[in-house]
Amino acid sequence: MTSAERTWLATRLPDLLADLQALIGCESPSADLAAVRRSADLIAAVGSRRLGVAPELVEVDGCSHLRWRFGTGPNRVLILAHHDTVWPIGTLLEHPWSISGNVIRGPGTVDMKAGLLQAIYAIAALIEQGEPVDGVCLLVTGDEEIGSPTSRALIEDEARGCAACFVLEGAGPGRSLKTGRKGTSGYRIQITGRAAHAGAEPEKGINAGVELAHLILTIAGMGVPEVGTTVTPTVAGAGTTTNTVPAAAYLLVDVRARTRQEQDRVHRSMLELAPTLPGAVLTVLGEPNRPPMEVTSGAALFERARAIGLRDGLGELQQSSVGGGSDGNFTAGIGVPTLDGLGAVGGGAHADNEHILLDELLPRTGLLVGLIREVLADKAVDPGAPS
Ligand SMILES: [Zn+2]
């Protein structure tokens, strides 16, 4: 960061805080499409004021996303943020906006309205200093917290061919950047047995509940915790009345894996499941839904961030690998180098003590400025050139 930039950013801090307070005051639970629309309108107004240009409003199945595109390259950088939160309308009454010393509280601060504003201010910093932002796209989606059903295609289309994707989710432990996120898969297994009277002739039944018990143990054994693969039976049910051999049972399974290879291995094992009881029938539904963000995807970008951090006084930045997914899983999944956790430093995402640290807002914004500038300045890679 140049000293001019440092000064520029410092003079904008009051604006940034005022914008953040306004965004936190506009509650935006993912499931409430009208609330998400109000939030999108507010962010469009705030962003237009700071960036000097209005976004495109992209509505998919009623969900409001925003897209700012600045030119077309030669290098392209995608910056990802989301404006929905997990908090229902009315949460503000219990957990109001507050600034106390270095701590800012409010629903959606760390996840991720502060990060969203850091992205807007980083791009504004470049624009106002007359630096090129040609090739930058800022995509602000409205359904990340429910798995991005309407934005996934939009994200992947925008990411394709980009030199880098920066994700503004909150920082990891110890203010780390996130280079790894596990992939997730979900399954539902239906077990069909045969009913019979539990007193009169239980031997004529096929007990779907007993089959379920075998299955739970088999499936729990598919995990390999040493490499980060967890396979967790989570919800189950069997039977109808206390005196009937259960004719049906079901089981839900949550799978997390650090690598695509492990995610695929578990998937194959799930499809190959065979019943233990003679005559029982298994139906396995489900598949991988978020691919893993493998550590290799963001390794080079992390090294870059680390160097910028050392140069700009952010100290030695660490990287972390986490279990939860983000939209970074999708961009990494299609092969775009992805660095996540660039947003606010704080804690309590999805929890009552959600907060961010005030004194980290500007340094993190400066870090993003540096990363965008460096990637745009790289010699453009011509995908058609012989190597
Ligand atoms: Zn988030």
Side-chain angles (χ1 to χ4, degrees), residues 81-82 84-86 110-113 144-145 167-170 181 325-327 349-350:
H82 67 83
D84 60 317
T85 74
V86 295
V110 75
D111 192 11
M112 59 175 289
K113 290 178 176 178
E144 193 274 345
E145 296 292 1
V167 186
L168 274 295
E169 294 287 358
R181 282 188 182 274
S326 85
D327 286 334
H350 302 198

Side-chain angles (χ1 to χ4, degrees), residues 191-195 202 204-214 238-239 244-249 277-278 280:
I191 304 159
T192 308
R194 186 167 62 231
K204 292 200 173 159
I206 298 169
N207 194 322
V210 172
E211 181 61 40
L212 170 65
H214 283 290
T244 304
V245 173
L277 302 188

Side-chain angles (χ1 to χ4, degrees), residues 202-265:
E203 69 284 356
K204 292 200 173 159
I206 298 169
N207 194 322
V210 172
E211 181 61 40
L212 170 65
H214 283 290
L215 262 184
I216 288 177
L217 293 176
T218 304
I219 287 171
M222 289 179 186
V224 184
E226 307 86 82
V227 298
T229 307
T230 58
V231 182
T232 311
T234 51
V235 182
T240 49
T241 69
T242 59
N243 58 356
T244 304
V245 173
Y250 75 95
L251 174 64
L252 305 187
V253 184
D254 174 283
V255 179
R256 313 269 162 156
R258 280 205 192 109
T259 62
R260 176 82 74 145
Q261 197 184 3
E262 272 293 287
Q263 194 176 39
D264 289 346
R265 175 187 66 77

